[in-house]
Amino acid sequence: MKPYIAYSKQELTFELENVKSLYKIYSDLRLSLDLTRGKPSPEQLDLSNDMLKLSPNETLTMDGVDVRNYGVLGGLPSTKALFASLLQVEPQNIFVGGNASLQLMYDLIAKAYTHGLANSHQPWSKEKTVKFLCPSPGYDRHFHLSLSFSMELIPIRMNADGPDIEQIREHISDPTVKGIWCVPKFSNPDGITYSTQVCEALSSLRPAADDFVLMWDNAYCVHPVYCDETIPNILELCEKNGNPDMPYMFMSTSKVTFAGNGISAVASSERNIEYLKKLTGYQTIGYSKVNEYLHVRFLKDRENVLSHMQRHADILRPKFDIVLDSLKREIEPLNIAEWRRPNGGYFVSFYAMPHTASRIVALCREVGLKLTPAGATYPYNTDPMDSNIRIAPSYPSVEELKMAMEVFCVCTRYATLEKLLDLQ
Amino acid sequence: MKPYIAYSKQELTFELENVKSLYKIYSDLRLSLDLTRGKPSPEQLDLSNDMLKLSPNETLTMDGVDVRNYGVLGGLPSTKALFASLLQVEPQNIFVGGNASLQLMYDLIAKAYTHGLANSHQPWSKEKTVKFLCPSPGYDRHFHLSLSFSMELIPIRMNADGPDIEQIREHISDPTVKGIWCVPKFSNPDGITYSTQVCEALSSLRPAADDFVLMWDNAYCVHPVYCDETIPNILELCEKNGNPDMPYMFMSTSKVTFAGNGISAVASSERNIEYLKKLTGYQTIGYSKVNEYLHVRFLKDRENVLSHMQRHADILRPKFDIVLDSLKREIEPLNIAEWRRPNGGYFVSFYAMPHTASRIVALCREVGLKLTPAGATYPYNTDPMDSNIRIAPSYPSVEELKMAMEVFCVCTRYATLEKLLDLQ
């Protein structure tokens, strides 16, 4: 094997015929494989089955509260303490939500539109234009959430140490730029952990908008696969740098216990938490305290959560190995794509030769391998280079994943060869 | 005992001294009693403890779905079927939410503001004024929800058979009137069930606003205490009368299973449900299917829910008896107040002599009996007659409730005597 770039036109044509016959074999297998979403596997979910097992006559009481009844909006003291230890903030900085942190993020933005945030001069619905910074590639649901409110999305380049600070600084002098989406640790999809310098710079921004929000989606805060990485406490940094109300940190236990039945939290300044609690008081009498109870009883404390996450990592690691080994074996020698070996999180972010990602995804789909649509990781579903493909290895079995990666590599070669011949 | 109205000034003065000495006795007891909220008692919650008990090795699978994982926004087929049977609609008219129907109501109104409803010409946030009709007395949380969006609230008189249709018709020609709050069965607080005529009239309204919403909070749909009452299916009526997208029916199992950990649903036209599902797709990947699973497995079907609710009624009935017996014994002979004997729901709605309710509530509070603030059942917390007091007998024990009602009756006499002497 030599790099495709060194192939003659004849060699390329011949290789494409080879690859097409391989592709035909997969096509005949009538596969049904799925690498689309960052979903835990059943084996990972099994790790938390004991959470639902109650001892006979167990009283459903915590912190002196009957968790079955109404009340206690914003979290039981024990739940706040658990999240505070995981996010390394104080319990008074925590607001506990329902089964998904996405809902907390949506509701915060929705409240910004209907009521305004603590530092807003008026609700965002009264603004002619609202713009949001989107480090890209990023999490599609963040972008779709923003778009559903008709925000204008501004892509920000992702560097190896986090979003490009210079680009961010250029935009925040515009008062209609109201915030930025960040996944600061094991980012979706690149698996990048923001450096201390980037966090320091973000916390020191001087945005023209007084109610600029740092949406700090710490989705993978306790989710190493190969080894852990650390980020600074953004609440502390922002406070130190004169932006105490700017950051909102989000996390959930969706990828700790049950994806569909976790508990979520947002951490922010006491002022923001009080304001959020007041507004949420019109929306609900309280989220599920039964679920808080089950979680706190099962997860106990930070140390126990970290060991529990090691068991997740033990299941995820062989799957990441399959993806990375396949790419190293099948693609690296051809020098036709790039990717990062993440230390944690849920994804491998693959950069195909420019203008081939959509074709790769389409080729995969035709033989029964579903991938996240090309472009999904960019605002407006538009990857300017049509290059990035997010590979989510967690859900399939090891056998399915091996087959899926074989298919993926063949389709990558297929599309690349087509493109190279096209360019000749 | 004779009616206070027949007392001479001297008799009133003497009686007030009597009542004051009784009041002093309660004051010395340093009581801590609470009749404020419609909360189920621990004994009622115990009825559903088995819901959380899983058999060993039970698979958390329903309708072929692993309920622990992500997905299935809007409810599992089995959950939709259960709610459809309870609300007597079709499963395709159901959207299943989280642990509280209040959140579904709030989110619907919030989406009306940020995105508009299916029939809106523009989001409500773009309207200069939004007005909402509020049959009064009514549920304080409905009014507070509306006020949090700066709506203008218009009180509508409650008659014995439901809200006053003539008054409603006068207002709906105003296109800024966007909806009405209704608790059609065992209403909060009056315990009134809307008549067929009233439901027919509501379903045939011709509001000027195309996106006028009938917020049909069927909170007490399976909640008889003495005997059941029925209301027509408002979805069918509205469809028949040319308003298919007008009604949104809400219910939850908060007062069926666990107040803080129920499941909720909204029923509406298929068009509205599709629209709601699309918008909610930006907010969450799905509500808790584990909780749906636990509920469906425990509640089984309509018939089983109705028997389960009889067990609730068996616990509630003696408490309603205490309230009604106390009032009959202590207050009725004095002819100083009115109340309704509800057949179900959670409240007894007490109408004190005009301009005494706040004083009664204050007198109660001073001796350790908490009541819902006078006026809370009216828009802007303002009862024009300062007369209505909502009594919630469900939560206290029978002994506490007896004591609470003794205190309540004494305070009612106290305030009434003061008022009568004042008027002399």
Side-chain angles (χ1 to χ4, degrees), chain A residues 40 45-46 49 54 68-70 99 103 106-107 115 125-126 148 255 258-261 282-283 286-288, chain B residues 40 46 49 52 68-70 99 102-103 106-107 115 125-126 148 255 258-261 282-283 286-288:
Chain A
L45 298 171
D46 286 345
N49 281 350
L54 293 170
R68 302 168 305 174
N69 221 325
Y70 286 121
N99 73 321
Q103 199 181 322
Y106 181 97
D107 285 358
H115 295 79
S125 60
K126 306 287 180 210
S148 87
K255 292 183 177 88
F258 293 155
N261 194 56
Y282 302 115
Q283 187 174 16
Y287 299 99
S288 170
Chain B
D46 286 345
N49 280 350
L52 299 186
R68 301 169 304 174
N69 221 325
Y70 286 121
N99 73 321
L102 183 65
Q103 201 182 321
Y106 181 97
D107 285 359
H115 295 79
S125 60
K126 306 286 180 209
S148 86
K255 292 183 178 87
F258 294 153
N261 194 55
Y282 302 115
Q283 188 174 15
Y287 298 100
S288 170

Side-chain angles (χ1 to χ4, degrees), chain B residues 226-270:
Chain B
Y226 293 109
C227 75
D228 205 9
E229 294 175 349
T230 54
I231 46 168
N233 180 332
I234 198 73
L235 256 57
E236 270 177 21
L237 280 187
C238 285
E239 170 137 38
K240 187 189 76 176
N241 291 316
N243 285 315
D245 299 330
M246 190 169 73
Y248 288 84
M249 242 194 258
F250 299 89
M251 81 163 283
S252 80
T253 67
S254 294
K255 292 183 178 87
V256 177
T257 55
F258 294 153
N261 194 55
I263 53 174
S264 63
V266 51
S268 193
S269 68
E270 283 185 62

Side-chain angles (χ1 to χ4, degrees), chain B residues 93-140:
Chain B
N93 297 117
I94 296 283
F95 179 88
V96 179
N99 73 321
S101 56
L102 183 65
Q103 201 182 321
L104 281 175
M105 297 178 222
Y106 181 97
D107 285 359
L108 184 74
I109 298 291
K111 285 172 176 50
Y113 272 86
T114 54
H115 295 79
L117 297 175
N119 292 334
S120 296
H121 301 294
Q122 60 178 2
W124 294 5
S125 60
K126 306 286 180 209
E127 311 269 358
K128 276 216 180 85
T129 310
V130 173
K131 298 176 190 160
F132 231 75
L133 306 181
C134 300
S136 307
Y139 180 31
D140 54 348

Side-chain angles (χ1 to χ4, degrees), chain A residues 166-177:
Chain A
E166 281 316 306
Q167 253 194 309
I168 293 171
R169 286 201 185 115
E170 279 164 28
H171 288 290
I172 59 168
S173 57
D174 174 354
T176 69
V177 171

Side-chain angles (χ1 to χ4, degrees), chain A residues 254-274:
Chain A
S254 294
K255 292 183 177 88
V256 176
T257 56
F258 293 155
N261 194 56
I263 53 174
S264 63
V266 51
S268 193
S269 68
E270 283 185 63
R271 175 156 185 265
N272 283 343
I273 294 297
E274 278 310 308

Side-chain angles (χ1 to χ4, degrees), chain B residues 387-402:
Chain B
S387 164
N388 184 246
I389 297 173
R390 188 182 78 166
I391 299 174
S394 56
Y395 190 74
S397 68
V398 161
E399 290 66 36
E400 288 170 326
L401 187 58
K402 279 182 183 162

